[in-house]
Amino acid sequence: DQQVKQNSPSLSVQEGRISILNCDYTNSMFDYFLWYKKYPAEGPTFLISISSIKDKNEDGRFTVFLNKSAKHLSLHIVPSQPGDSAVYFCAASEMGGGSNYKLTFGKGTLLTVNP
Amino acid sequence: NAGVTQTPKFQVLKTGQSMTLQCAQDMNHEYMSWYRQDPGMGLRLIHYSVGAGITDQGEVPNGYNVSRSTTEDFPLRLLSAAPSQTSVYFCASSASLHEQYFGPGTRLTVT
């Protein structure tokens, strides 16, 4: 049973436009969410996170939105740049559940930003 | 700081062979973990440790052993390799949940 779902395996956008990557989760105990970015032949790197007490977190060109009632989060990248081309993983955890070092990852979305 | 280092980068094993994947971090992080990444599967947690001497199982622990004798090192052992263990393995460390730092990965092929 997949608890974190990224239903779009790939996304292609033009440079300068907005990229929107989506993530859904099923476990209502998840209360902290993260996005990681991964280039080929490298380990994932942390991008941005959001706690369930917020509905938005912004860091430069990256914004994450959380809709708890829909169990949905999204990552917006504006403007998109060719260097953003990578696989993006959504991850979730239960901070208050005693398992707060365990991350559950989605399968990832490959973003391609075309010049 | 070197961050999280993993050795080897590549390894080919025959079925039934054993080996240890090495992971070390120089950030004095208490938490370390091992993930495997398979095509179309994302990253799945194998084992993790919240400090020296403390380890626990993740989502897919079967076929793997770990130990944590020091804060810096967290080796992953395959006692009898199987083709199903062909994967890319990532080690990660963190001082808190939120930002886990990943190593560059070990690509393992079991024939």
Side-chain angles (χ1 to χ4, degrees):
Chain A
D1 178 34
Q2 201 182 348
Q3 298 186 69
V4 177
K5 301 178 184 179
Q6 294 177 257
N7 292 320
S8 298
S10 63
L11 174 68
S12 182
V13 299
Q14 286 299 119
E15 180 178 5
R17 307 294 284 267
I18 184 171
S19 296
I20 300 176
L21 295 95
N22 294 303
C23 178
D24 297 293
Y25 61 97
T26 58
N27 186 344
S28 58
M29 299 300 292
F30 287 149
D31 53 10
Y32 202 86
F33 305 89
L34 308 91
W35 285 93
Y36 283 80
K37 175 179 174 179
K38 185 183 179 305
Y39 293 117
E42 294 183 10
T45 55
F46 170 77
L47 194 56
I48 193 170
S49 62
I50 188 167
S51 163
S52 61
I53 62 173
K54 295 185 174 182
D55 53 19
K56 176 182 174 181
N57 189 25
E58 199 170 347
D59 183 1
R61 297 185 297 113
F62 302 92
T63 303
V64 56
F65 295 92
L66 175 63
N67 182 334
K68 290 191 294 290
S69 61
K71 294 192 178 68
H72 176 83
L73 61 154
S74 60
L75 175 68
H76 292 210
I77 306 173
V78 184
S80 301
Q81 300 173 353
D84 296 329
S85 297
V87 176
Y88 289 78
F89 290 100
C90 173
S93 71
E94 301 174 39
M95 280 183 64
S99 304
N100 56 5
Y101 286 103
K102 285 184 171 180
L103 291 181
T104 301
F105 283 83
K107 294 183 178 182
T109 297
L110 173 63
L111 173 65
T112 303
V113 181
N114 301 302
Chain B
N1 281 358
V4 179
T5 58
Q6 291 183 238
T7 56
K9 288 193 186 309
F10 301 94
Q11 183 70 51
V12 179
L13 289 178
K14 289 185 171 18
T15 297
Q17 287 185 315
S18 63
M19 80 159 295
T20 299
L21 280 64
Q22 302 291 345
C23 175
Q25 52 94 6
D26 61 0
M27 297 172 282
N28 202 33
H29 287 165
E30 289 298 318
Y31 177 72
M32 296 185 74
S33 57
W34 277 101
Y35 293 86
R36 60 178 288 175
Q37 185 191 10
D38 301 295
M41 295 295 290
L43 286 92
R44 293 182 292 169
L45 182 65
I46 303 171
H47 285 285
Y48 66 100
S49 169
V50 298
I54 307 169
T55 64
D56 205 347
Q57 296 180 350
E59 181 185 354
V60 287
N62 292 342
Y64 307 95
N65 279 356
V66 292
S67 59
R68 183 98 179 268
S69 56
T70 67
T71 299
E72 294 77 21
D73 300 296
F74 190 42
L76 179 71
R77 296 184 192 85
L78 284 72
L79 297 178
S80 179
S84 61
Q85 294 178 303
T86 294
S87 187
V88 182
Y89 292 85
F90 291 102
C91 178
S93 75
S94 67
S96 71
L97 167 69
H98 307 150
E99 295 187 32
Q100 293 198 26
Y101 294 85
F102 284 82
T106 294
R107 186 174 294 273
L108 175 68
T109 302
V110 183
T111 61

